[in-house]
Amino acid sequence: MDLPVILSGPVLRRVDQSSVFIWIATSKPFQISAKLYQLEPSGKDDGPVSGQSEMECVRFGKQLFVYMIKITPASGTFPLQTLLGYNLFFTKGSDTVDLSHFGLLDPGADSLVYGKLPYPSFFISEGKHTNVLYGSCRKLHGKGEDALAAGDMHMEETVHVLEKRPQALFLLGDQIYADHVADPLFPVITSLGRQLAGQEEPLYKIDKRLERYSSLNKIHGRKLIMDHLCRFTSNQSYNHLIQFSEYAALYVLSWGPQVWEYIQENGGLPVFEEELANDRIHFVFSTEPAFQKVHDLELWQHKQRFAEQTEELRESIASLKRVRRLMANVPSYMIFDDHDITDDWNLSEEWKENVKNSPLGSHVVANGLGAYWAFQGWGNAPDSFDQPFLKTMKRYARHFDVESESYRDWLHTLWNYPSWHFIAPTEPKTVFLDTRTKRGYEVPSAPGRVGRIMQEKLQSPELVRQSAWPAIAALLKESGWKRGEMLMVASPAPLYGVGLIESALHTYTNPLRLIGIPVHELFDFEAWKYNGQGFTAFLEQIFNWAPHHCFILSGDVHYASSVYTAVESNDGRSAHIMQCTSSPINNASFSGVWGRLMESVARINAFKRKKKSIIRYCDEQGRIVCQEPGAAVPKNCLWKETLQYIATTGGSIMETDNNLGLLSFTEKVAQNHLLIHRTWQKKKVLFNQIDLH
């Protein structure tokens, strides 16, 4: 059977008064155009909005065509605070069909539209009311229920109430988990990847040692390849993605139901076959690329894991129609974090150099970045990717020839691209930070290995090196933003929040890690606060920009929280910051015996801080110090602050269930919400309001 025509999308991307961008991926080539319509509150089509569309397409394989459709007004600008709808038209030869041809505009479960609206819809905010959905960490086989489905339910409730309807969706990293692929998902990805690309990448031409690795396309067959040939350090790399087509396949499977329906018609998810386990599965306990006898205990453990992951995948697949509808109806902006490429991506300078100097390692990183661009990055600021960049993408993707000049250009361009950061045209404006490729490494900070546990050294990198800030500031200025206005900053890792469980990390987690208990998987040790110089540089930018209020939206840490702080520099400048953290969307970590233990410890710590103001300062050496009660703050400190954790209306200051954040504010008040999906119902958790006067 043929793949579905629409593989993924449509996804609404960058939207402002002068342009609207829509992304879509298909298995067949088309000329695609678009029209906008003004919709009445009743849902009636009030006629097309005068404009024109143009299309850019990159072919990434035999059956993978990725499109960016740009709609611009014929004159003037698009209207503000007005409900707008869109339709896409697919032309092949003399035939033209629209979204209704694929059943996407008809009433029913497959529809992209809400209620009685005729088209997927959106609006361009005038800025009086701001409502932004945000979150990170969405693993297709993650534990719990997908919180993006709760975002769809919220959109369903607010679709006609523009003062409450979300104006944007921020995906803040780990939109896929390239380094942690479920066992039953791995053969689906490799098979789909071959169909999309129409060929296998000749990886043996990159590293000839691959010729003796017969395990490449077998479940659990890639750990040694990733460790020794790529120089990666992920503990979960048994089924790590390698080829571009595999990264693309995981995106297609994560964003919508189309391909899953095709897979179901062709046999569905694979089943665990005990009699074939020895031949098909290369276990983590193996130390050589030759297969070993699988012991009964190993077989039982793998069978249990296989069954659990299959059920988790089925839960996620059941939510994908809601996920697709949400992404078709709200402008989305996306930045990467580590798992979009690989765990520990650019963790240290040594890691970066080891991988860059490994032919296969640099190839995998480039494939991950190339897929990130095609499925995420391109839509953030499409006009910033010039024709030379597009030409580089198209030339290599035409044949995936790893011995060609086009391949060398592809590698160099993706490894050295300077501007993954961008400004989202929201109201107020949003600065999206690249905290992976803009890192600074002042001293060696490579992780060391204690047994099978990666023990990170205390000195973490600057998540944005100081030399990178001027380009970010210049881009913000070019966007038209002015000092004294509200400002949002999207940072994958929170500036504030990790301190909530700091003593749990240092008092409990590290000792347990050293004796082999895997509690290190519950927490992320990469955060702004672990490098005082980088933390201070971030604050310095906020001081320089001088927003009326700064809202930092983050994910990464697998729990949600809200923090409010007033910061003062040593020269008298001040800033008011509200940190909102939402994580995970679908990857609940606090499960099982050890998960519940660490959650209990974290909650005890959180309770101690409840309703208490915390005084902190940064000394001259760049160390962040938590002030003892009653002690004076040194006069020579770089900055000082008073911060407070904001409690929910239920009294908690952290949430560990899968959640999607919803930040709402006006010029007067701000409130953070958490949307949680539970058995086809939406639960809302409210943090207390903050007065912005």
Side-chain angles (χ1 to χ4, degrees), residues 282-446:
H282 185 73
F283 282 90
V284 64
F285 303 103
S286 302
T287 57
E288 299 295 335
F291 294 109
Q292 297 180 355
K293 175 68 177 176
V294 179
H295 299 296
D296 289 342
L297 177 59
E298 296 174 67
L299 183 64
W300 179 84
Q301 290 173 330
H302 186 80
K303 185 176 181 180
Q304 291 297 111
R305 180 171 59 247
F306 198 98
E308 290 171 3
Q309 291 179 342
T310 298
E311 185 57 33
E312 289 159 356
L313 284 168
R314 286 174 176 157
E315 287 185 3
S316 294
I317 294 167
S319 298
L320 287 179
K321 289 183 179 180
R322 285 192 174 274
V323 171
R324 176 180 61 180
R325 183 169 67 165
L326 176 67
M327 296 178 73
N329 285 271
V330 59
S332 57
Y333 303 90
M334 313 174 186
I335 193 66
F336 46 53
D337 205 3
D338 51 350
H339 296 289
D340 297 275
I341 310 298
T342 184
D343 192 17
D344 296 339
W345 182 30
N346 292 346
L347 177 65
S348 68
E349 188 169 27
E350 183 179 0
W351 189 99
K352 186 175 180 179
E353 290 305 309
N354 284 342
V355 173
K356 193 171 185 178
N357 292 327
S358 158
L360 189 60
S362 63
H363 176 77
V364 175
V365 169
N367 275 341
L369 277 169
Y372 163 78
W373 174 78
F375 285 81
Q376 297 192 66
W378 192 6
N380 292 325
D383 289 338
S384 68
F385 298 99
D386 58 19
Q387 285 303 313
F389 184 98
L390 291 171
K391 184 178 179 180
T392 298
M393 297 298 105
K394 291 179 179 180
R395 283 178 63 220
Y396 172 62
R398 191 175 299 136
H399 302 294
F400 289 102
D401 181 358
V402 298
E403 296 179 315
S404 65
E405 184 66 29
S406 64
Y407 174 63
R408 290 185 284 274
D409 289 344
W410 161 277
L411 275 180
H412 181 269
T413 297
L414 290 169
W415 267 86
N416 297 284
Y417 187 70
S419 304
W420 294 118
H421 60 271
F422 63 96
I423 310 299
T426 51
E427 287 295 336
K429 296 288 193 299
T430 306
V431 180
F432 272 74
L433 299 178
D434 164 10
T435 59
R436 283 288 160 182
T437 75
K438 294 297 184 184
R439 293 183 165 203
Y441 310 96
E442 294 190 358
V443 296
S445 58

Side-chain angles (χ1 to χ4, degrees), residues 173-344:
D174 300 342
Q175 276 68 262
I176 61 169
Y177 278 67
D179 58 300
H180 193 185
V181 175
D183 292 349
L185 184 61
F186 180 76
V188 173
I189 287 176
T190 55
S191 175
L192 176 59
R194 285 191 293 272
Q195 287 181 274
L196 294 174
Q199 64 183 50
E200 292 271 8
E201 291 178 10
L203 299 175
Y204 65 91
K205 292 183 179 180
I206 297 174
D207 194 321
K208 292 188 180 301
R209 291 175 293 178
L210 278 172
E211 292 178 336
R212 65 186 182 90
Y213 279 84
S214 60
S215 63
L216 181 65
N217 290 323
K218 296 188 178 182
I219 296 173
H220 275 224
R222 294 186 172 180
K223 186 73 169 73
L224 289 171
I225 295 170
M226 306 315 296
D227 287 354
H228 300 294
L229 304 191
C230 295
R231 303 297 301 276
F232 285 10
T233 55
S234 172
N235 286 319
Q236 302 289 340
S237 62
Y238 318 111
N239 300 321
H240 203 297
L241 306 183
I242 291 179
Q243 301 186 56
F244 176 91
S245 61
E246 294 168 356
Y247 277 93
L250 184 51
Y251 278 115
V252 166
L253 294 168
S254 297
W255 283 5
Q258 294 99 314
V259 175
W260 281 113
E261 293 169 354
Y262 162 82
I263 290 169
Q264 189 61 38
E265 291 170 358
N266 286 270
L269 286 167
V271 296
F272 186 80
E273 301 176 56
E274 292 188 24
E275 65 275 13
L276 298 179
N278 282 339
D279 295 326
R280 298 181 61 195
I281 301 165
H282 185 73
F283 282 90
V284 64
F285 303 103
S286 302
T287 57
E288 299 295 335
F291 294 109
Q292 297 180 355
K293 175 68 177 176
V294 179
H295 299 296
D296 289 342
L297 177 59
E298 296 174 67
L299 183 64
W300 179 84
Q301 290 173 330
H302 186 80
K303 185 176 181 180
Q304 291 297 111
R305 180 171 59 247
F306 198 98
E308 290 171 3
Q309 291 179 342
T310 298
E311 185 57 33
E312 289 159 356
L313 284 168
R314 286 174 176 157
E315 287 185 3
S316 294
I317 294 167
S319 298
L320 287 179
K321 289 183 179 180
R322 285 192 174 274
V323 171
R324 176 180 61 180
R325 183 169 67 165
L326 176 67
M327 296 178 73
N329 285 271
V330 59
S332 57
Y333 303 90
M334 313 174 186
I335 193 66
F336 46 53
D337 205 3
D338 51 350
H339 296 289
D340 297 275
I341 310 298
T342 184
D343 192 17
D344 296 339

Side-chain angles (χ1 to χ4, degrees), residues 14 130 132 167-168 170 172 333 421-433 472 475-476 479 481 486-491 545 551-553 663 665:
R14 188 180 182 94
T130 298
V132 174
Q167 62 169 269
F170 295 167
L172 302 172
Y333 303 90
H421 60 271
F422 63 96
I423 310 299
T426 51
E427 287 295 336
K429 296 288 193 299
T430 306
V431 180
F432 272 74
L433 299 178
I472 299 170
L475 197 62
L476 178 60
S479 74
W481 182 86
M486 299 279 198
L487 180 66
M488 293 188 285
V489 179
S491 167
W545 293 336
F551 300 90
I552 302 176
L553 290 86
L663 174 63
F665 62 89

